[in-house]
């Protein structure tokens, strides 16, 4: 896997707009998949993981509090073979500022993975995420 910064909007959308991923990363207040446009500006950094020249994974960093928030997504067909390696390599792009993640209680497996990887819950936003009409707390981790 080759891991590198990407500004290719088609590659970015290929991961973020994959139906399995988009359904997981969006709440009820988000646009439909056909209407989603990833933000491209100075506050966002996209790091792609490429297998045989094709995008397989994406790490998104964006400004958050005194650091950056990160979002890692791996296409379903590449998760078993490449998820851990991509996660480790994409973290090399994080810089030196504090790193945050926001994970709704709905995604316990993602929260557990973050905790295993040395993130700590620093705040809980009560009833801050709505998915399929149900409200969930959001864990802020650093």
């Amino acid at each position: 896997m080759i891991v590198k910064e990407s500004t290719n909007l088609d590659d970015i959308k290929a991961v973020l707009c994959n139906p399995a991923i988009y359904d997981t990363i969006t709440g009820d207040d988000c646009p439909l998949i056909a209407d989603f446009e990833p933000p491209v500006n100075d506050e966002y950094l996209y790091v792609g993981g490429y297998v045989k020249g094709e995008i397989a994974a994406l790490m998104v960093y964006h400004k958050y509090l005194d650091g950056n928030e990160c979002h890692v997504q791996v296409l379903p067909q590449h998760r078993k073979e490449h998820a851990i390696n991509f996660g480790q390599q994409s973290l090399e792009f994080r810089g030196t500022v504090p790193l945050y993640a926001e994970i709704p209680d709905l995604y316990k497996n993602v929260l557990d993975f973050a905790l295993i990887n040395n993130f700590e819950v620093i705040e809980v936003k009560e009833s801050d995420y709505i998915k399929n009409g149900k409200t969930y707390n959001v864990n802020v981790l650093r």
Side-chain angles (χ1 to χ4, degrees):
M1 173 176 279
I2 295 171
V3 178
K4 62 183 181 178
E5 185 175 340
S6 179
T7 57
N8 184 313
L9 196 54
D10 289 336
D11 286 352
I12 294 166
K13 288 180 82 168
V15 175
L16 296 180
C17 293
N18 175 284
I21 290 174
Y22 196 79
D23 182 60
T24 301
I25 65 174
T26 57
D28 289 358
D29 60 344
C30 292
L32 296 174
I33 196 168
D35 299 326
F36 175 72
E37 287 298 323
V40 179
N41 58 48
D42 291 350
E43 294 193 4
Y44 284 80
L45 170 67
Y46 297 95
V47 177
Y50 293 84
V51 175
K52 298 180 183 174
E54 297 291 321
I55 188 85
L58 189 71
M59 173 70 87
V60 180
Y61 291 103
H62 64 84
K63 302 287 183 209
Y64 184 88
L65 300 175
D66 61 339
N68 286 321
E69 184 174 355
C70 66
H71 309 270
V72 62
Q73 305 298 331
V74 180
L75 291 173
Q77 66 270 30
H78 293 284
R79 288 178 182 160
K80 184 175 182 180
E81 188 173 349
H82 298 290
I84 293 172
N85 183 37
F86 174 73
Q88 292 169 342
Q89 288 189 53
S90 63
L91 284 172
E92 293 177 15
F93 292 80
R94 71 183 281 181
T96 59
V97 298
L99 189 61
Y100 296 89
E102 286 194 355
I103 304 171
D105 282 344
L106 173 63
Y107 303 112
K108 183 172 176 3
N109 62 322
V110 178
L111 180 59
D112 289 345
F113 183 79
L115 293 170
I116 288 169
N117 285 282
N118 299 317
F119 278 85
E120 295 179 5
V121 176
I122 60 167
E123 178 185 354
V124 175
K125 295 180 179 180
E126 301 287 327
S127 303
D128 196 53
Y129 180 75
I130 301 172
K131 183 70 173 183
N132 299 323
K134 187 171 179 184
T135 303
Y136 299 90
N137 293 338
V138 174
N139 300 279
V140 179
L141 299 97
R142 179 174 56 210

